[in-house]
Amino acid sequence: SVPKGLADAIAHAEPFVGGEPFVVSLGDSLIRSMNPGGVLPRLIDTHVREGAAATILFETVAPEDVIRYGIAKPAGDPGQEFAVADLIEKPSVEDAPSTLAVAGRYVFAPTVFDYIRRTQPGRGGEIQITDTMRLMLQDGLPVWGVRMGEGERRLDIGNYRSYFRAFLEMALIDPDFGEEFGEFARARLDQDAE
Ligand code: G1P
């Protein structure tokens, strides 16, 4: 079978998930959080409290970066948590309804699988989970957003530039190797400076 997009990949989890709500964590996004337990407990709390069909983690990005992400149109003035009115996958800078970007963490109700089956190929010819959630919104199902807070950073390992930065940052704080690696990195840079 051929990969058909993120929603198609998620559809393969249906037998594993059964009838339960579940979390999707994209492997090319690391979320560094100073909060105990990280961001997922907040995402799950909101999902349960709001009886949402889908709950998404959002990061505010620079206006020129909206072209890389799923972007939300919030229902009102967005607080730490907000109802999503609409979503658009990788819009142009002009078409972006906000700078709130999908940050690679989702909670879904199992009904998402019915909506994935109804999702037509979209951006890049791929079956996009962003479009699946859009179908949910059109049916009046609640979709919620949770914003990344203070002390939370997203590290993207989906391109070389950000991957190298993420690797360095995570290596430096590693409890086992961080200190030694820091010395190595410093010595290496000093050597280059000579
Ligand atoms: C995917 C999603 C996009 C999301 C991004 C987060 O895009 O389609 O909505 O903002 O992950 O990393 P991809 O990175 O696969 O192009």
Side-chain angles (χ1 to χ4, degrees), residues 6 26 28-29 68-70 89-90 101-104 106 128 130 154:
L6 179 53
L26 302 187
D28 62 1
S29 277
R68 300 171 198 271
Y69 301 111
E89 180 66 13
K90 303 194 174 83
V102 174
Y106 314 78
Q128 301 285 354
T130 304
R154 176 171 174 273

Side-chain angles (χ1 to χ4, degrees), residues 6-7 26 28-29 56-58 66-71 87-90 100-106 126-131 133 154 156 158:
L6 179 53
L26 302 187
D28 62 1
S29 277
I56 312 162
L57 183 69
F58 285 99
V66 293
I67 57 169
R68 300 171 198 271
Y69 301 111
I71 302 294
L87 289 162
I88 165 161
E89 180 66 13
K90 303 194 174 83
L100 293 164
V102 174
R105 299 290 181 279
Y106 314 78
E126 295 184 2
I127 305 175
Q128 301 285 354
I129 198 67
T130 304
D131 294 336
M133 294 187 286
R154 176 171 174 273
D156 189 342

Side-chain angles (χ1 to χ4, degrees), residues 56 58 70-76 82-89 91 95-98 100-102 130-139 141-145:
I56 312 162
F58 285 99
I71 302 294
K73 178 182 177 189
F82 61 94
V84 173
D86 202 1
L87 289 162
I88 165 161
E89 180 66 13
D95 290 342
S98 76
L100 293 164
V102 174
T130 304
D131 294 336
T132 302
M133 294 187 286
R134 200 168 202 198
L135 293 178
M136 290 173 152
L137 285 164
Q138 283 163 13
D139 267 0
L141 297 187
V143 175
W144 276 74

Side-chain angles (χ1 to χ4, degrees), residues 166-181:
F167 188 90
L168 182 71
E169 198 165 311
M170 296 309 279
L172 288 172
I173 61 162
D174 186 89
D176 295 330
F177 299 102
E179 204 177 319
E180 186 199 321
F181 178 74

Side-chain angles (χ1 to χ4, degrees), residues 27-40:
D28 62 1
S29 277
L30 305 180
I31 311 285
R32 235 188 113 175
S33 178
M34 303 305 164
N35 303 323
V39 291
L40 289 181

